[in-house]
């Protein structure tokens, strides 16, 4: 006879978040931080009114302007509405509420235009842009040493023209899975640098083919190009390569001929493309490839000139039909797309700006690795390993940064002299020096060009030893004054010269010197405070290596919350004043409209210290939950800081940035917005536990590549659901079920193109899920489906028949093992899978091979989601027993799809899990449960443990 367990929920001695009591005490001065630009937010639902702002963007001649960026802010929208003008220069923002808005229009080559709109029903705007004033481009940096962009070999690369030209007929150039057929035309070499050939240009008639090897890559190619193989005719292609790959090109040479004008134009066209950075990215490719790590191809080639043993690479830039900017890269060691933190060596990218086919079409390991099954996301792609950062930063009263970073590093590849760093382009390097103080050459082109920062060492550092390099830099665009002591902190990964990003961990020693009225809260532990010439000086040191350093900044007041269970040191920082753009809501000036008075009333009911205590209460409870389920965090202190962003949270090692919306209860949200929006309520419930969970997932254990980022974001999202189940008190069921229903909808809900995030592709694709037709696919799959994968593993490991003890114990043991085994290395999907397989019960070994291939093929590498139909009947058995006959039908999957689905019964005191039944393919399964009493109801998947349609 099946013996039901006590509850589906395992109880622990957590201090529940006293949300209701804390929020009732909240008064304003704090919420005045809504309606700001959000990096990751969710938009509020449309109001009941259907007012519209539309218009046409034109240039001074009256011609329409296509792809102008329109940003609409104001009234009660939580984040800006971002639009692009269409082919007719038109744009429309629908379903707005009446009120005051600001419409900002930006387009390269034109002056920015800002228009105010007092919306009442419909506003149709004629927006006429003016040509931007032409300025001479002069690279000016404060106290520059003159060694920037002046390395002799780099200057030759930068200014290289064309040399010899050769005829080319019917030549095939094969590079991994890519093939170039140079049918008829000419090949012109770039002038050699230090006697090394580094590039060539083909003009004529050619054809490119890329045939993926793996099924998942073939499926993605079909989604991107409409065919299983990429096929492209081209009229010109620019090749840039390391000198050791020159023979591949030289094999195509026919007789020497005159250089055609088309080759000269092709070179200039290529320079204009790859050396230009869009300030406002129009698509995914510009957003990824044109940020602080934009490729400076000449600097990359310089590394190979100075080191003949530099890992080889071959870049091809095609002008094809129909795709005008198709790029094929084969880059060993550093990866074809280093901006995506991936060691995959081969990639095909279609750069089409705002075009509907913009995106990464192919990214994969070398064909020989795939065929030998040796490809691994954890391959080391670094050329140098960072050991320590010592950064001294002065924040001036104008919010400019003046910094000096001393970086301790060790070379990993012999002979390397060129070091590439991620650094915000508006931070201008003024001096680079070695450990002896000798000034070094460096490269940093204009911020509007390929302005990545590279340091050029005078000689290759010795392998096996640590070395130092110092970088001095100054600039802005890191801090934005939000008013009244509140600041937006941007460039959180690139406010300092960051060598390898999240790809490694290092120790940090950070010193900040700031105006005395402001406070810095940094990663690390505060080890010193002083004053100097009217400035406040603080020093922060990380006790353990971390992947990234960051800080928050403003007129903060600190409070602390003790944790007698886990003994973490938990501190909160709050601002007592509202940002300037939210002053209108605090009642400091009179308003007569009922809506205004209600908003002012909501704010007046709030107090910064009460809101901060509420946030700290949530953080403490989540720290306790995560410690039980995942083990102790590596950081003894955690700082919870408020930021003026309304719908964007973020977590750095021991430093959490929370949006002000995390501090507002449902009553105050209704008073502010005039309605309760379920999606936004969900965001508020999730953001604090999600960001706190990143202390485990993302920082304690990092991810190996973009394929594996779900191990950070998905696991943190799962932990937010765990928080709602374990830490909010006895009436947890509704919020918990609502949470998982939101995740299900985010995964399966179709957009205006009729495509759901899950339709875009498997979880394993990560960032590559994003396309113009699937803008929300990354978040819907990486966050929500990633969370669901861990939830389903928890369900599979749940001990239904255990007579005593914690029925979650197998899952807890597995997660502790995962955290401990990846303490010193980033996790990959395969390394996580190996840990799960160590802990799986025998019943899950469906393929009799000790592996969970079936589960990961379905949920990580596949896109199938089953539909279930359930029915049951209850019959009296012998001696007062009860027989419950259940029938489950699984459909809309292939015949290999298998899953275990939990069955529950309600005996009058809540749902009890009876067990889980296996199903395979499109099939029906029957079972009988024997019970000693009659249930009120029997149901399938009550707590949404399995993702279903």
């Amino acid at each position: 006879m099946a013996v039901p367990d006590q509850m589906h929920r395992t109880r622990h001695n957590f201090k529940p978040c006293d949300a209701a009591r804390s929020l009732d005490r909240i008064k304003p001065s704090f919420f005045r931080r809504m309606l700001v630009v959000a990096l990751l937010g969710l938009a509020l639902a449309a109001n009941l009114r259907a007012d519209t702002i539309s218009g046409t963007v034109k240039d001074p001649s009256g011609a329409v302007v296509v792809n102008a960026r329109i940003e609409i802010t104001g009234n009660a929208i939580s984040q800006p509405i971002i639009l692009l003008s269409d082919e007719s220069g038109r744009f429309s923002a629908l379903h707005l509420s009446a009120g005051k808005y600001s419409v900002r229009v930006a387009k390269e080559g034109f002056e920015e235009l800002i228009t105010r709109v007092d919306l009442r029903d419909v506003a149709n705007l004629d927006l006429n842009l003016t040509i931007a004033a032409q300025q001479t481009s002069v690279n000016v940096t404060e106290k520059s040493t003159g060694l920037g962009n002046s390395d002799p070999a780099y200057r030759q690369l930068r200014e290289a023209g064309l040399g010899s030209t050769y005829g080319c007929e019917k030549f095939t150039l094969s590079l991994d899975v890519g093939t170039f057929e140079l049918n008829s035309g000419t090949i012109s070499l770039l002038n050699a640098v230090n006697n090394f050939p580094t590039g060539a240009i083909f003009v004529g008639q050619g054809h490119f083919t890329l045939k993926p090897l793996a099924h998942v890559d073939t499926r993605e190619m079909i989604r991107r190009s409409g065919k299983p193989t990429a096929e492209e005719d081209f009229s010109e292609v620019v090749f840039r390569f390391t000198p050791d790959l020159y023979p591949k090109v030289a094999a195509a040479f026919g007789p020497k001929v005159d250089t055609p004008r088309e080759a000269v134009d092709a070179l200039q066209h290529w320079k204009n493309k790859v050396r230009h950075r869009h300030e406002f990215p129009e698509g995914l490719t510009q957003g990824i490839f044109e940020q602080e790590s934009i490729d400076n191809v000449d600097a990359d080639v310089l590394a190979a000139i100075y080191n003949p043993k530099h890992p080889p690479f071959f870049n091809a830039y095609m002008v094809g039909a129909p795709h005008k900017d198709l790029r094929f890269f084969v880059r060993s060691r550093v990866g074809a797309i280093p901006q995506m933190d991936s060691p995959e060596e081969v990639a095909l990218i279609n750069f089409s700006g705002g075009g509907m086919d913009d995106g990464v079409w192919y990214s994969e390991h070398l064909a020989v690795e795939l065929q030998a099954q040796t490809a691994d996301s954890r391959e080391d792609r670094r050329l140098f390993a960072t050991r320590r950062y010592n950064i001294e930063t002065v924040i001036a009263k104008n919010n400019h940064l003046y910094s000096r970073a001393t970086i301790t590093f060790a070379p990993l590849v012999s002979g390397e002299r060129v070091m590439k760093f991620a650094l915000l382009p508006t931070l201008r390097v003024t001096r680079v020096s070695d450990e002896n103080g000798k000034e070094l050459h460096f490269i940093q082109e204009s911020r509007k060009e390929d302005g990545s920062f590279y340091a050029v060492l005078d000689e290759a550092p010795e392998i096996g030893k640590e070395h130092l390099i110092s970088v001095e830099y100054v600039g802005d665009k890191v801090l934005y004054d939000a008013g009244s002591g509140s600041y937006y902190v941007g460039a959180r990964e690139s406010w300092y010269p960051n060598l390898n990003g999240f790809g490694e961990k290092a120790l940090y020693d950070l010193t900040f010197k700031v105006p005395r009225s402001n406070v810095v809260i940094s990663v690390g532990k505060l080890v010193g405070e002083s004053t100097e010439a009217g400035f406040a000086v603080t020093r922060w040191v990380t006790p353990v290596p971390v992947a990234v350093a960051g800080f928050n900044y403003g007129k903060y007041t600190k409070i602390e919350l003790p944790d007698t269970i886990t003994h973490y040191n938990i501190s909160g920082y709050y601002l007592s004043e509202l940002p300037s753009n939210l002053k209108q809501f605090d009642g400091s000036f009179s308003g007569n409209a009922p809506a205004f008075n209600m908003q002012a009333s909501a704010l007046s009911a709030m107090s910064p210290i009460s809101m901060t205590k509420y946030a700290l209460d949530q953080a403490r409870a989540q720290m306790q939950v995560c410690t039980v389920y995942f083990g102790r965090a590596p950081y003894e202190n955690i700082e919870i800081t408020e930021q003026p962003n309304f719908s964007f949270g973020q977590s750095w090692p021991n430093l959490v940035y929370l949006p002000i919306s995390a501090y507002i209860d449902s009553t105050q949200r209704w008073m502010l917005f005039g309605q309760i929006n379920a999606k936004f309520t969900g965001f508020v419930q999730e953001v604090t536990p999600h960001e706190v969970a990143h202390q485990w997932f993302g920082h304690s254990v990092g991810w190996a590549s973009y394929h594996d980022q779900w191990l950070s974001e998905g696991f943190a999202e799962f932990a937010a659901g765990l928080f709602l189940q374990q830490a909010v008190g006895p009436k947890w069921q509704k919020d918990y079920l609502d949470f998982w229903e939101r995740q299900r909808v985010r995964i399966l809900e179709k957009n205006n193109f009729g495509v759901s995030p899950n339709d875009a592709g498997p979880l394993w694709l990560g960032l590559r899920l994003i396309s113009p037709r699937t803008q929300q696919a990354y978040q819907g799959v990486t966050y929500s489906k990633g969370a669901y994968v861990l939830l389903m593993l928890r369900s599979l490991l749940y001990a239904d028949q255990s007579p005593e003890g914690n029925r979650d114990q197998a899952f807890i043991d597995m997660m502790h093992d995962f955290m401990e085994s990846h303490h010193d290395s980033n996790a990959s999907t395969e390394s996580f899978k190996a840990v799960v397989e160590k802990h799986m019960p025998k019943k899950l070994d469906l393929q009799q091979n000790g592996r969970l291939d079936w589960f990961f093929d379905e949920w990580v590498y596949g896109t199938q989601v089953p539909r279930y139909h359930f029915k049951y009947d209850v019959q009296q058995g012998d001696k007062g027993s009860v027989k419950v006959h259940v029938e489950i039908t699984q459909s809309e999957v292939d015949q290999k799809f298998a899953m275990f689905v939990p069955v529950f019964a309600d005996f009058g005191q809540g749902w009890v899990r009876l067990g889980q039944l296996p199903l395979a393919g499109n099939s029906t399964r029957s079972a009988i449960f024997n019970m000693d009493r009659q249930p009120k109801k029997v149901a399938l998947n009550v707590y949404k443990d399995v993702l279903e349609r």
Side-chain angles (χ1 to χ4, degrees):
M1 181 171 68
V3 180
D5 61 7
Q6 296 177 359
M7 281 292 283
H8 188 58
R9 178 187 190 225
T10 302
R11 297 295 296 134
H12 297 284
N13 187 28
F14 303 130
K15 290 185 178 179
C17 298
D18 197 0
R21 291 196 300 273
S22 296
L23 282 173
D24 284 344
R25 294 192 297 267
I26 292 177
K27 296 189 285 235
S29 87
F30 206 76
F31 177 81
R32 321 152 189 202
R33 309 145 189 173
M34 47 185 290
L35 317 177
V36 297
V37 176
L39 297 177
L40 295 172
L42 61 130
L44 298 177
N47 293 318
L48 295 177
R49 288 181 60 95
D51 296 356
T52 301
I53 296 177
S54 61
T56 305
V57 184
K58 297 181 180 180
D59 66 16
S61 70
V64 298
V65 177
V66 179
N67 281 335
R69 183 180 187 271
I70 297 95
E71 177 183 298
I72 301 174
T73 58
N75 208 37
I77 55 177
S78 64
Q79 63 179 24
I81 298 171
I82 307 298
L83 305 167
L84 293 176
S85 57
D86 61 19
E87 294 83 354
S88 302
R90 296 281 301 169
F91 69 92
S92 293
L94 309 176
H95 307 300
L96 301 174
S97 59
K100 295 182 178 180
Y101 294 86
S102 175
V103 179
R104 176 174 175 264
V105 185
K107 177 71 175 178
E108 286 194 60
F110 296 91
E111 298 285 358
E112 184 179 283
L113 175 65
I114 299 177
T115 299
R116 311 292 180 186
V117 178
D118 190 356
L119 184 60
R120 297 289 185 271
D121 194 15
V122 175
N124 190 21
L125 309 176
D126 289 322
L127 301 172
N128 298 307
L129 302 183
T130 58
I131 301 296
Q134 299 299 308
Q135 299 179 348
T136 304
S137 179
V138 179
N139 207 9
V140 178
T141 57
E142 292 191 34
K143 300 180 182 178
S144 176
T145 63
L147 293 182
N149 305 327
S150 63
D151 178 88
Y154 175 72
R155 294 291 354 134
Q156 291 182 58
L157 286 164
R158 198 70 176 175
E159 298 161 5
L162 296 180
S164 300
T165 297
Y166 302 88
C168 179
E169 300 291 332
K170 297 181 180 179
F171 179 78
T172 299
L173 173 62
S174 297
L175 296 162
D176 199 75
V177 293
T179 302
F180 293 87
E181 297 174 24
L182 308 181
N183 297 322
S184 177
T186 62
I187 294 183
S188 302
L189 290 176
L190 270 66
N191 287 324
V193 176
N194 288 6
N195 295 318
F196 289 114
T198 63
I201 297 174
F202 172 85
V203 293
Q205 297 178 359
H207 185 80
F208 172 76
T209 302
L210 187 150
K211 185 176 182 179
L213 298 179
H215 173 69
V216 66
D217 296 317
T218 300
R219 187 168 54 194
E220 176 65 1
M221 185 63 70
I222 292 171
R223 180 172 81 102
R224 294 290 185 172
S225 71
K227 296 177 291 186
T229 301
E231 304 281 353
E232 187 80 8
D233 291 327
F234 57 81
S235 57
E236 61 186 63
V237 56
V238 174
F239 299 121
R240 298 302 305 267
F241 43 78
T242 49
D244 56 325
L245 293 180
Y246 169 67
K248 283 187 170 290
V249 176
F253 293 171
K256 208 168 187 178
V257 297
D258 292 336
T259 301
R261 179 65 193 179
E262 290 82 359
V264 177
D265 293 341
L267 176 59
Q268 188 58 48
H269 177 235
W270 174 81
K271 289 181 179 180
N272 293 341
K273 284 192 302 186
V274 302
R275 294 181 180 179
H276 177 68
R277 177 176 175 267
H278 293 81
E279 187 136 9
F280 302 111
E282 296 177 350
L284 174 69
T285 55
Q286 291 179 10
I288 291 177
F289 294 93
E290 295 184 3
Q291 299 307 302
E292 57 269 9
S293 294
I294 184 173
D295 287 339
N296 180 328
V297 181
D298 302 304
D300 293 337
V301 173
L302 180 69
I305 288 177
Y306 282 153
N307 181 17
K309 297 181 180 179
H310 183 78
F313 66 80
F314 198 105
N315 299 350
Y317 306 81
M318 289 171 274
V319 176
H323 305 103
K324 303 304 180 185
D325 191 359
L326 199 61
R327 306 183 188 184
F328 177 69
F329 299 150
V330 181
R331 301 176 180 173
S332 60
R333 184 74 187 196
V334 298
I337 311 177
Q339 293 87 350
M340 288 177 60
D341 293 328
S342 171
E344 292 170 333
E345 298 91 348
V346 187
L348 179 67
I349 307 107
N350 183 36
F351 284 73
S352 66
M356 296 302 291
D357 53 0
D358 177 76
V360 178
W361 286 14
Y362 182 84
S363 180
E364 190 52 276
H365 289 274
L366 293 167
V368 292
E369 295 180 350
L370 295 177
Q371 291 161 348
Q373 297 185 341
T374 58
D376 188 347
S377 291
R378 295 197 290 177
E379 294 172 10
D380 195 347
R381 64 185 185 84
R382 299 172 298 164
L383 300 177
F384 303 90
T386 316
R387 304 296 187 219
R388 287 176 296 281
Y389 289 90
N390 189 309
I391 305 172
E392 300 166 300
T393 298
V394 177
I395 300 177
K397 292 181 179 180
N398 64 356
N399 300 325
H400 280 54
L401 266 64
Y402 298 81
S403 296
R404 175 187 175 90
T406 300
I407 301 145
T408 304
F409 67 93
L412 300 177
V413 175
S414 178
E416 289 299 315
R417 288 179 52 194
V418 178
M419 304 177 71
K420 182 180 183 180
F421 297 86
L423 183 66
L424 186 69
T426 57
L427 295 174
R428 307 307 298 172
V429 175
T430 59
R431 186 175 185 268
V432 181
S433 56
D434 64 15
E435 50 207 320
N436 299 314
K438 182 181 178 182
E439 293 186 9
L440 300 174
H441 286 280
F442 64 89
I443 298 166
Q444 188 186 37
E445 298 292 343
S446 162
R447 68 178 180 85
K448 294 186 178 181
E449 297 181 325
D450 45 348
S452 290
F453 166 52
Y454 297 73
V456 183
L457 307 177
D458 282 349
E459 58 184 28
E462 184 179 349
I463 293 282
K465 290 186 177 181
E466 291 187 351
H467 306 266
L468 297 178
I469 187 172
S470 294
V471 182
E472 298 175 24
Y473 54 98
V474 60
D476 59 0
K477 306 301 184 186
V478 174
L479 293 172
Y480 297 86
D481 191 344
S484 302
S486 181
Y487 294 84
Y488 302 107
V489 181
R492 295 181 183 178
E493 297 173 46
S494 56
W495 65 274
Y496 62 96
N498 192 328
L499 188 56
N500 291 308
F502 280 92
E504 67 179 4
K505 293 181 179 179
L507 293 168
Y508 286 82
D509 188 330
L510 307 166
T511 299
F512 296 91
K513 181 178 178 181
V514 305
R516 291 180 62 179
S517 59
N518 290 332
V519 174
V520 167
I521 310 103
S522 172
V523 301
K525 189 173 183 178
L526 180 63
V527 298
E529 292 183 271
S530 63
T531 58
E532 180 182 328
F535 281 76
V537 181
T538 56
R539 183 182 174 208
W540 305 74
V541 176
T542 58
V544 296
V546 298
V548 67
F551 65 94
N552 210 346
Y553 179 70
K555 292 183 179 179
Y556 285 103
T557 300
K558 178 182 178 181
I559 61 173
E560 296 181 346
L561 183 70
D563 186 350
T564 58
I565 295 178
T566 61
H567 304 290
Y568 296 111
N569 300 312
I570 304 174
S571 301
Y573 294 81
Y574 66 87
L575 299 161
S576 59
E577 295 291 332
L578 292 175
S580 297
N581 64 331
L582 299 177
K583 286 288 186 181
Q584 60 179 306
F585 294 111
D586 67 356
S588 58
F589 63 90
S590 60
N592 297 318
F596 172 86
N597 292 329
M598 187 165 61
Q599 291 169 337
S601 177
L603 291 171
S604 66
M606 300 161 64
S607 98
I609 190 168
S610 296
M611 291 187 296
T612 304
K613 287 180 179 178
Y614 167 67
L616 291 181
D617 201 27
Q618 283 193 312
R620 178 177 62 182
Q622 181 66 324
M623 296 288 284
Q624 294 168 359
V625 171
C626 290
T627 299
V628 169
Y629 275 84
F630 314 128
R632 191 162 183 85
Y635 320 113
E636 292 302 316
N637 62 297
I638 183 168
E639 322 292 340
I640 308 297
T641 66
E642 175 228 337
Q643 61 179 359
N645 307 71
F646 188 66
S647 53
F648 164 54
Q650 197 169 46
S651 183
W652 260 204
N654 77 261
L655 173 62
V656 175
Y657 306 83
L658 287 183
I660 50 177
S661 56
Y663 300 85
I664 310 164
D665 70 7
S666 58
T667 300
Q668 291 154 343
R669 288 197 299 276
W670 180 82
M671 294 173 72
L672 286 162
F673 301 126
Q675 62 176 352
I676 290 295
N677 179 268
K679 289 184 178 180
F680 189 70
T681 297
F683 169 78
V684 172
Q685 286 181 334
E686 299 165 21
V687 64
T688 300
H690 176 102
E691 300 304 343
V692 170
H694 273 309
Q695 300 302 304
W696 281 261
F697 307 118
H699 295 307
S700 180
V701 174
W703 62 93
S705 79
Y706 71 92
H707 290 300
D708 314 301
Q709 200 164 357
W710 70 278
L711 301 174
S712 170
E713 297 297 353
F715 283 21
E717 193 75 349
F718 165 84
L722 193 64
F723 168 88
L724 293 174
Q725 184 189 56
Q726 299 290 332
V728 298
K731 295 182 179 180
W732 55 273
Q733 289 88 346
K734 183 180 185 304
D735 285 345
Y736 181 75
L737 290 171
D738 287 347
F739 171 86
W740 286 110
E741 176 60 17
R742 285 194 300 274
Q743 309 308 316
R744 191 189 72 83
V745 170
R746 290 171 188 169
I747 298 164
L748 299 175
E749 188 174 52
K750 294 187 182 296
N751 60 19
N752 292 336
F753 292 100
V755 182
S756 73
N758 190 69
D759 295 335
L763 179 58
W764 182 80
L765 279 180
L767 272 174
R768 289 171 55 196
L769 292 165
I770 300 174
S771 78
R773 291 181 175 84
T774 56
Q775 294 284 358
Q776 299 302 315
Y778 170 74
Q779 285 187 306
V781 175
T782 301
Y783 285 67
S784 298
K785 191 174 182 182
Y788 242 114
V789 167
L790 195 56
L791 177 69
M792 290 187 286
L793 287 171
R794 181 191 182 194
S795 177
L796 291 173
L797 294 175
Y798 193 76
D800 290 300
Q801 305 305 320
S802 177
E804 58 184 24
N806 187 349
R807 298 187 179 187
D808 254 342
Q809 194 59 53
F811 175 76
I812 291 173
D813 292 343
M814 182 265 288
M815 293 305 297
H816 280 237
D817 189 1
F818 170 67
M819 300 300 295
E820 291 165 7
S821 62
H822 292 87
H823 178 70
D824 296 319
S825 62
N826 287 336
S828 69
T829 298
E830 287 299 313
S831 70
F832 169 66
K833 176 173 175 283
V835 172
V836 180
E837 288 167 347
K838 286 172 55 180
H839 294 266
M840 72 176 186
K842 188 175 180 179
K843 68 177 182 180
L844 298 185
D845 190 8
L846 300 183
Q847 297 166 299
Q848 300 298 304
N849 59 2
R851 297 169 62 87
L852 279 170
D853 295 345
W854 64 271
F855 179 86
F856 280 78
D857 286 346
E858 290 169 6
W859 297 108
V860 178
Y861 302 110
T863 59
Q864 296 184 80
V865 177
R867 187 181 300 278
Y868 292 105
H869 177 74
F870 178 77
K871 62 182 180 180
Y872 73 95
D873 63 73
V874 179
Q875 299 175 356
Q876 293 297 320
D878 297 334
K879 299 179 180 180
S881 66
V882 174
K883 292 180 180 288
V884 178
H885 179 272
V886 302
E887 183 178 285
I888 309 170
T889 299
Q890 178 176 268
S891 61
E892 300 185 28
V893 293
D894 64 26
Q895 293 309 305
K896 294 181 179 180
F897 187 95
M899 196 57 202
F900 290 77
V901 191
V903 180
F904 293 79
D906 181 1
F907 295 96
Q909 294 182 330
W911 289 106
V912 175
R913 178 160 151 159
L914 302 177
Q916 49 187 339
L917 298 178
L919 290 97
N922 295 306
S923 62
T924 298
R925 170 74 185 269
S926 298
I928 296 176
F929 290 91
N930 295 312
M931 302 179 187
D932 58 4
R933 51 189 168 139
Q934 181 162 329
K936 294 177 64 177
K937 190 176 181 181
V938 180
L940 188 72
N941 201 24
V942 167
Y943 289 108
K944 302 184 183 295
D945 297 301
V946 176
L947 177 61
E948 61 173 314
R949 295 191 181 277

